Amino acid sequence: MTLSHHYQQHLSVEDVLGQVAEHFPAGPSFFELAPLDQLHIGGIKASARLIDLLDAQTHPRVLDIGAGVGGLMRQAAEVGFELVGLDITHGFNRLNQGLSALSKLENRAQCVTGDATHLPFADASLDAVLFQHSFLNMPDGPMVLKECRRVLRPGGRLVMHEVVSGPNSDAMTYPVPWAEDSAHSHLVSADTLKTQLSEAGFSLLHFQDWSQDALAWRQRQREKETQSTRQARLSPQLVFGERFITMGKNLVTNLADEAIKVVEIEASC
Ligand SMILES: C[S@@+](CC[C@H](N)C(=O)[O-])C[C@H]1O[C@@H](n2cnc3c(N)ncnc32)[C@H](O)[C@@H]1O
């Protein structure tokens, strides 16, 4: 199975856009879209923390690598950044573009289908790159970071909110949202990631292990997912299908078992 198939096999872009348009006729806010378009541990709060690491005055042109359906992009566009999202899953880009149009943000949040190992951007053309739960799918991390270094201008920033392997990585339980099984999960340890960044020419400015907060957040989400008697208007199931129930449960297990960790990183070049 290709990675794109893993992500878009249960997605009907037109159906989802139709539901969003029906629920929010005046256009959805990024807050209202969050249950659908923030496909990472920590939701809006985690995205806000990532955005706060950047300054829209000094680093306005931002590339979101593995942007998914664009929650972080629209949240950052709302506070003055100009976003381009790159994603290998074409169906996600179609949904992302459609959600930005409904949110009236299509001029500040655009997206392109492509592979992070061959970024379709000129040398030194961007101020910052973001990764949010996408580096975890990339088998050739060093090549991706080399590409980031190439497209960033001197003084550019790289920020990440990523899943890395924990001390008990052998206990990993699948499926998780980014992978049905180990074939598409390419987790490295936090130390390996730091080494890869350094070898690609980045200096580390900030590193934080966010795993405890991530576990608490995911446990709260899990309670909502299992106890809610009312069907939520928007949910990750619209993207992933019913298999998200098991994926969400496994995230809690993997965090609690320390098979995975969640980290926040800022680096400069
Ligand atoms: C778990 S999703 C996270 C999406 C989004 N960043 C978020 O947090 O909501 C991972 C995303 O990375 C994308 N991706 C994985 N490998 C990629 C690659 N080599 N190039 C571009 N996108 C990639 C996938 O298609 C998917 O949309």
Side-chain angles (χ1 to χ4, degrees):
M1 187 197 297
T2 63
L3 183 65
S4 295
H5 183 64
H6 162 71
Y7 278 115
Q8 63 191 8
Q9 61 185 300
H10 293 285
L11 175 66
S12 167
V13 174
E14 284 68 31
D15 279 2
V16 177
L17 289 175
Q19 289 191 46
V20 173
E22 189 186 324
H23 290 321
F24 306 107
S29 66
F30 73 82
F31 186 80
E32 287 164 331
L33 286 179
L36 169 73
D37 69 2
Q38 303 262 353
L39 299 177
H40 48 262
I41 304 165
I44 279 189
K45 187 179 165 198
S47 295
R49 289 170 58 111
L50 211 56
I51 294 165
D52 278 350
L53 292 171
L54 293 173
D55 182 337
Q57 299 302 314
T58 57
H59 293 77
R61 290 163 306 158
V62 180
L63 170 65
D64 184 353
I65 299 180
V69 299
L72 172 64
M73 286 177 63
R74 283 178 289 280
Q75 198 172 335
E78 289 281 5
V79 293
F81 293 94
E82 298 158 33
L83 270 294
V84 178
L86 174 121
D87 205 287
I88 205 165
T89 303
H90 188 60
F92 276 12
N93 287 322
R94 287 178 51 233
L95 179 55
N96 187 352
Q97 204 90 53
L99 292 174
S100 291
L102 291 175
S103 308
K104 303 174 183 66
L105 283 170
E106 67 267 48
N107 294 333
R108 281 147 65 195
Q110 303 192 331
C111 57
V112 60
T113 300
D115 188 332
T117 53
H118 297 91
L119 294 177
F121 303 98
D123 295 0
S125 58
L126 295 162
D127 297 312
V129 296
L130 301 171
F131 292 85
Q132 192 170 36
H133 289 39
S134 55
F135 198 73
L136 44 65
N137 274 144
M138 300 179 186
D140 193 351
M143 179 65 197
V144 171
L145 295 178
K146 191 174 162 203
E147 274 292 89
C148 290
R149 182 73 187 77
R150 179 183 66 76
V151 300
L152 283 172
R153 55 122 167 128
R157 293 282 192 275
L158 176 148
V159 294
M160 286 182 159
H161 167 221
E162 275 299 329
V163 178
V164 294
S165 59
N168 296 322
S169 54
D170 288 350
M172 186 78 180
T173 305
Y174 294 97
V176 285
W178 63 91
E180 202 65 39
D181 53 39
S182 61
H184 288 307
S185 186
H186 298 288
L187 305 185
V188 294
S189 69
D191 283 344
T192 299
L193 182 52
K194 286 182 197 170
T195 303
Q196 289 183 357
L197 283 165
S198 166
E199 287 176 355
F202 289 97
S203 304
L204 195 62
L205 300 175
H206 164 84
F207 175 88
Q208 191 166 346
D209 184 330
W210 205 65
S211 306
Q212 285 307 317
D213 287 339
L215 176 58
W217 182 87
R218 185 88 272 293
Q219 280 168 332
R220 285 196 301 276
Q221 293 302 112
R222 181 90 194 116
E223 278 163 29
K224 283 189 217 162
E225 286 156 15
T226 50
Q227 287 175 8
S228 175
T229 49
R230 190 172 59 86
Q231 180 64 42
R233 280 179 168 179
L234 300 181
S235 74
Q237 276 97 308
L238 286 177
V239 175
F240 287 106
E242 287 309 307
R243 66 196 169 134
F244 185 79
I245 305 289
T246 309
M247 292 170 162
K249 179 165 100 27
N250 290 343
L251 281 179
V252 174
T253 305
N254 287 324
L255 281 163
D257 290 350
E258 296 197 290
I260 60 173
K261 292 268 183 191
V262 178
V263 298
E264 200 178 75
I265 286 175
E266 181 184 12
S268 82
C269 61

